Amino acid sequence: MTKYVVAMVEEIPSGGRKIVEVAGRSIGVFNLGGEFFALRNRCPHQGGPLCSGSLGGLISSSHPGEYHYSRAGEILRCPWHGWEFDIRTGQSWCDPESMQARMYPVAVEPGETLAKGPLVAETVPVSVEEDYIVVTL
Ligand code: FES
């Protein structure tokens, strides 16, 4: 397992994302209200650039004529065929039993800690005054 510094925390505001290249993989890092999630930028359906897709929410209904919109900005829609994935879990809403987006552990760590190492690879320069988003592969 290797840690990769992929961004300063302030680079990805709430509701935002950054797509990074780490160890030959394209990965999307998302900020949902201050929580960070990382998904592989490769759709498990047919390999589309999943993390460049639009963000939406869930519409549910308890009975005809009424609907409820929830989880705004937490559902990622693949730009190729529109399959939807939960950013928090990687679960597909089209085929939840067998289709899941690959996820990676993410943490926020202070530059002061990271500067001491060991970091095998860095994708952004680290300064002790900032906080960073770290993805583990
Ligand atoms: S490749 Fe993503 S929905 Fe088909």
Side-chain angles (χ1 to χ4, degrees), residues 23-38:
R25 279 168 247 192
S26 181
I27 293 172
V29 181
F30 295 83
N31 179 343
L32 299 182
E35 291 181 84
F36 291 94
F37 300 90

Side-chain angles (χ1 to χ4, degrees), residues 43-50 78-83 85:
C43 181
H45 177 224
Q46 289 184 356
L50 175 63
C78 180
W80 279 13
H81 310 105
W83 286 35
F85 294 85

Side-chain angles (χ1 to χ4, degrees), residues 65-106:
E66 276 192 24
Y67 70 91
H68 178 65
Y69 186 72
S70 62
R71 302 192 57 197
E74 298 190 6
I75 307 300
L76 179 60
R77 184 178 168 94
C78 180
W80 279 13
H81 310 105
W83 286 35
E84 294 179 323
F85 294 85
D86 186 331
I87 290 177
R88 291 182 178 276
T89 63
Q91 180 192 33
S92 161
W93 286 93
C94 302
D95 184 1
E97 298 300 319
S98 61
M99 200 68 79
Q100 182 143 13
R102 176 75 199 269
M103 299 200 62
Y104 301 96
V106 189

